[in-house]
């Protein structure tokens, strides 16, 4: 009996997008159940004194990341392009994360997350824009009716804060992270390790 | 015709040890030639204002690294244990790197590097100690006679400085790094990607 895997991701994170694109097929192949857990890296980075993505704070590492992402996406057949405008990264992922938590129990909750990632890392639309989020909701749900970005209230704000506190309590420091019981696996390059661990657990 | 791969490593780096243990078999399987390139991360980190390993500067990430190393080493069948005394990491790798450059053209030059890594990450001996380095030389060479740690002079100091300057010029920022032409692959988890790239180049 395989253990479930908690897939912790930030919509602003490039490598989270790669994992979001890969995890379903890899998990299905191993009979592993995945729980999608949106959270924000910003407060975790801020606690270390970082005011921006480490890929912007360290330009040499940032240049490498875009090249690495492009190569890895090609290797895995995942649509992706680096931004033409460097200021487009990272996007503010607060709204997307709150909405993802609001709709997480819908049968199309994961489809919404995929729409957000594609809008961001393929089309480079601004996922902080409520109109972009509403378009993602509509595509995932197949209808314009229902929850919209304008419906965010205290419940979703509290839920996202609680997610962030749980992430810190579990010892997470980056995204994507995969949690199986007490075991943490960090980075898209640990996706297979995490799922293998869950499958044998 | 496969391209050669430059394997840039720091003897103080845990993930460099993992790659050093894996690279020969993986390269041979693809018909790829590997050139071992010792360098020091210290000056590169210092240029970013880091005065210690990032795994010590960020304890949450450090705890993760030891667990991840232990799991990955087990997965790959590489002997490894985390240090009992946290102050044993990172070791000062200056002497080992200079000696590695001094003996790089010997048929046992790579064997010396392996001895150093094993002394460090399996036995936790201090590779900054000339007696430890001389023992590694003797084991790699099969004889006590020949170059010793005490023979380090200006030539080796200059060679290591030049390596560091080349690493910066190539855009390296961490170890291990694998360079194929102008392509950089960073981290033990990119070892296979780098070798695949070289094999098809």
């Amino acid at each position: 009996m395989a253990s479930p895997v908690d897939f912790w991701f930030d919509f602003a994170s490039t490598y989270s997008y790669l994992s979001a694109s890969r995890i379903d097929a890899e998990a299905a192949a191993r009979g592993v159940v995945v729980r999608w857990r949106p959270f924000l890296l910003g407060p975790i980075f801020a606690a270390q004194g970082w005011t921006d993505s480490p890929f912007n704070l360290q330009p040499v590492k940032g240049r490498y990341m875009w090249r690495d992402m492009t190569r890895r996406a090609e290797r895995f057949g995942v649509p992706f392009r680096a931004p033409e405008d460097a200021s487009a990264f990272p996007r503010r992922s607060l709204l997307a994360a709150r909405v993802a938590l609001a709709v997480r129990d819908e049968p199309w909750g994961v489809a919404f997350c995929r729409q957000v990632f594609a809008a961001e890392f393929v089309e480079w639309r601004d996922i902080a824009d409520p109109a972009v989020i509403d378009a993602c909701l509509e595509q995932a749900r197949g209808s314009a009716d229902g929850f919209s970005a304008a419906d965010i209230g205290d419940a979703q704000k509290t839920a996202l804060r609680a997610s962030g506190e749980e992430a810190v309590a579990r010892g997470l420091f980056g995204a994507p992270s995969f949690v199986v019981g007490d075991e943490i696996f960090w980075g898209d390059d640990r996706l297979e390790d995490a799922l293998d661990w869950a499958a044998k657990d």
Side-chain angles (χ1 to χ4, degrees), chain A:
Chain A
M1 175 70 188
S3 296
V5 173
D6 277 346
F7 165 39
W8 290 83
F9 63 96
D10 186 323
F11 284 111
S13 148
T14 48
Y15 290 107
S16 290
Y17 164 58
L18 215 48
S19 291
S21 304
R22 305 198 310 115
I23 198 166
D24 277 7
E26 295 289 342
R30 293 166 177 84
V32 169
V33 172
V34 176
R35 297 184 296 217
W36 289 52
R37 307 290 310 269
F39 77 121
L40 298 182
L41 281 174
I44 292 176
F45 286 171
Q48 297 182 52
W50 301 350
T51 54
D52 194 351
S53 162
F55 296 125
N56 289 342
L57 294 172
Q58 300 176 48
V60 172
K61 200 169 183 172
R63 276 192 294 278
Y64 171 78
M65 183 274 285
W66 293 113
R67 179 68 188 136
D68 184 57
M69 269 296 299
T70 302
R71 281 188 315 228
R72 296 281 280 186
E74 196 169 321
R75 184 178 177 108
F76 296 131
V78 172
F80 171 79
R81 59 187 179 86
E84 278 149 38
D85 172 6
S87 72
F89 176 84
R91 294 293 190 195
R92 295 187 63 241
S93 52
L94 180 72
L95 175 63
R98 285 174 174 168
V99 172
L101 285 174
V103 304
R104 66 185 295 182
D105 293 331
E106 303 287 350
W108 44 268
V110 167
F112 166 74
C113 296
R114 285 186 209 296
Q115 291 290 343
V116 173
F117 274 123
E120 185 180 9
F121 291 118
V122 184
E123 304 172 35
W124 285 99
R125 301 181 70 189
D126 185 356
I127 61 166
D129 177 352
V132 171
I133 292 300
D134 283 345
C136 291
L137 282 166
E138 182 172 345
Q139 284 190 284
R141 185 168 46 204
S143 151
D145 299 330
F147 194 89
S148 107
D151 296 325
I152 288 294
D154 285 344
Q156 290 80 32
K157 294 179 185 176
T158 302
L160 185 57
R161 258 197 307 271
S163 273
E165 285 161 13
E166 184 183 341
V168 170
R170 286 188 181 278
L172 304 191
F173 54 87
S177 289
F178 311 95
V179 178
V180 187
D182 289 336
E183 296 285 333
I184 298 168
F185 298 82
W186 170 52
D188 177 68
D189 33 46
R190 293 295 182 281
L191 173 62
E192 285 82 357
D193 285 11
L195 294 171
D196 287 348
W197 193 279
K200 78 175 168 62
D201 218 19

